[in-house]
Amino acid sequence: MQSDEDFMRQALALARNATGRTSPNPLVGAVIVRDGHVIAAGWHREAGTPHAEIHALRMAGELAEGATLYVTLEPCAHYGRTGPCAKAVAEAGIRRVVIGMGDPNPLVAGKGIKILQDAGIEVKCGVLEDECRRLNEVFLHWITQKRPFVILKTAMTLDGKIATAAGESQWITSPEAREYTHELRDSCDGILVGIGTVLHDDPSLTTRLPDRAGKNPVRIVLDSQARTPLDAKLVTDEQAETIIAVTAQAPKERVQALVEQGATVITAGEGPHVDLPLLMQKLGEQEICSLLVEGGGSVNFSLLQAGLVDKVLAFVAPKIIGGRAAITPVEGAGFAHLSEAVQLRGLQAQMIGPDVLLSGYVRKK
């Protein structure tokens, strides 16, 4: 006999099918169970399309009456791009609803549960809640903080170098690690680098996967003086939107030239450096819910110092290159005291090819 937790795990697995595709909506999976057997299932595929519960209800048809619905997030209670799922669930005659977690969206936030309970439906909430929160860590952060969930990704040697003293950095990590990075790009709304990376590498910052077409994130460049070359790949390749973040001090003719080339320019702060908190606020307003940072040491330190990094992914390659002048993943001025150091919680390690991937969440002060 399967438990509520067993069926919720099935709903979670379904939700993950749409990773990177539902923003700014959450990932949601649903299964309908009758007499101990799953008779219907669904997941939210893309913003503006039917939600997970609707897919499952359509599959179940008349068999939904008297059945149990398992859903990873509280059914919505408002009219947006689609109608309220809680009302549809009640009208389908579902007898019992098991929910992974409540929805903190002010438009829902308990209202969906109330609709179900007012219809006489038995509701159980909080089943595998931790797993459901991890599934939607991006959405939960964006809907409550109004800024992107920032993932700082870096790759280094065992002695903490991201390039040799001569500046050679391709490739520190293995093909497997690089493929993992493209999976990350595919799952994120935006990718951010500094102007130094653009000038040095002329990157495309697109998603390239071996077995399927990926989704290209919005490309964002920290470029206070609008120095991005007009012939840079980011500006000319038309593969994805490119946002150049400048300050009010940026030469107006340079800004205008970038706009004429098709780039979007955001002014964040008076200068001399881009106001990072203000930029994150503006990106959040544009529904960029997740942001992958692939910058150099100075960009990484600036974001960490500003308290804007939420998660760190650090690849460590089994290589040692040495060199006092070889650069490291986090540079800038650094923190003067150990008490100021950024600390991570929930640290995990896994092998990606020959490399070790360390991941953890920044402990907020």
Side-chain angles (χ1 to χ4, degrees):
M1 188 71 176
Q2 290 186 292
S3 65
D4 287 343
E5 289 76 12
D6 293 327
F7 290 122
M8 188 61 70
R9 288 189 185 94
Q10 293 183 47
L12 282 163
L14 288 168
R16 295 187 187 100
N17 286 330
T19 298
R21 300 298 182 272
T22 63
S23 183
N25 289 356
L27 292 163
V28 183
V31 296
I32 296 176
V33 175
R34 190 181 184 96
D35 299 326
H37 299 284
V38 174
I39 60 168
W43 66 91
H44 183 41
R45 289 161 167 77
E46 185 180 5
T49 66
H51 293 180
E53 302 95 314
I54 303 304
H55 283 296
L57 289 172
R58 288 175 179 173
M59 181 182 291
E62 294 180 355
L63 292 176
E65 187 170 357
T68 297
L69 168 70
Y70 292 83
V71 62
T72 55
L73 187 70
E74 176 183 359
C76 64
H78 62 291
Y79 286 91
R81 301 180 192 179
T82 60
C85 291
K87 183 179 178 182
V89 171
E91 291 174 347
I94 290 287
R95 178 185 61 83
R96 179 172 181 256
V97 176
V98 180
I99 300 170
M101 62 167 290
D103 189 341
N105 184 343
L107 295 173
V108 185
K111 299 181 182 71
I113 292 175
K114 186 175 188 305
I115 289 174
L116 298 174
Q117 291 175 331
D118 287 349
I121 297 172
E122 177 189 344
V123 177
K124 179 179 180 181
C125 190
V127 174
L128 298 185
E129 183 170 353
D130 288 345
E131 289 89 333
C132 291
R133 286 187 174 278
R134 282 196 295 273
L135 172 75
N136 275 312
E137 61 187 11
V138 167
F139 169 75
L140 296 175
H141 185 275
W142 176 75
I143 202 69
T144 58
Q145 303 298 315
K146 308 302 181 186
R147 67 169 180 81
F149 182 85
V150 177
I151 304 167
L152 190 157
K153 193 278 299 182
T154 190
M156 71 188 87
T157 59
L158 192 60
D159 55 336
K161 309 295 186 181
I162 64 173
T164 68
E168 185 180 343
S169 60
Q170 295 184 340
W171 296 100
I172 292 290
T173 52
S174 63
E176 292 91 339
R178 296 197 294 276
E179 182 176 334
Y180 187 97
T181 295
H182 284 278
E183 294 280 0
L184 286 171
R185 291 181 181 183
D186 180 62
S187 69
C188 288
D189 296 334
I191 181 171
L192 181 144
V193 298
I195 181 60
T197 296
V198 174
L199 294 175
H200 185 268
D201 298 332
D202 190 21
S204 60
L205 302 181
T206 53
T207 299
R208 300 179 295 280
L209 297 171
D211 57 346
R212 59 188 172 89
K215 172 181 65 67
N216 291 328
V218 175
R219 302 170 294 193
I220 300 139
V221 182
L222 298 180
D223 183 11
S224 59
Q225 296 299 311
R227 293 188 293 149
T228 299
L230 298 179
D231 61 352
K233 293 175 184 174
L234 294 165
V235 179
T236 62
D237 66 9
E238 299 182 347
Q239 295 299 302
E241 180 185 359
T242 295
I243 295 174
I244 310 296
V246 304
T247 71
Q249 295 181 7
K252 289 182 173 54
E253 64 275 10
R254 290 289 305 167
V255 170
Q256 183 59 34
L258 286 167
V259 171
E260 290 175 356
Q261 283 289 90
T264 300
V265 176
I266 291 180
T267 301
E270 299 300 315
H273 304 294
V274 172
D275 183 328
L276 293 174
L278 177 58
L279 174 62
M280 294 302 157
Q281 175 189 327
K282 292 189 173 188
L283 294 178
E285 290 169 355
Q286 294 193 23
E287 296 187 342
I288 294 178
C289 304
S290 53
L291 185 62
L292 179 64
V293 177
E294 292 192 25
S298 295
V299 168
N300 292 346
F301 176 72
S302 295
L303 287 162
L304 287 165
Q305 185 182 43
L308 295 171
V309 177
D310 300 293
K311 190 174 186 178
V312 174
L313 300 176
F315 288 96
V316 181
K319 300 175 182 175
I320 298 173
I321 60 175
R324 186 171 296 146
I327 58 177
T328 61
V330 182
E331 298 201 314
F335 297 108
H337 305 286
L338 284 174
S339 59
E340 300 172 325
V342 174
Q343 298 185 51
L344 301 183
R345 59 177 177 81
L347 195 67
Q348 294 185 339
Q350 66 182 111
M351 297 299 299
I352 306 291
D355 306 313
V356 177
L357 173 60
L358 300 172
S359 62
Y361 297 89
V362 174
R363 191 181 299 277
K364 302 297 182 178
K365 296 179 181 179

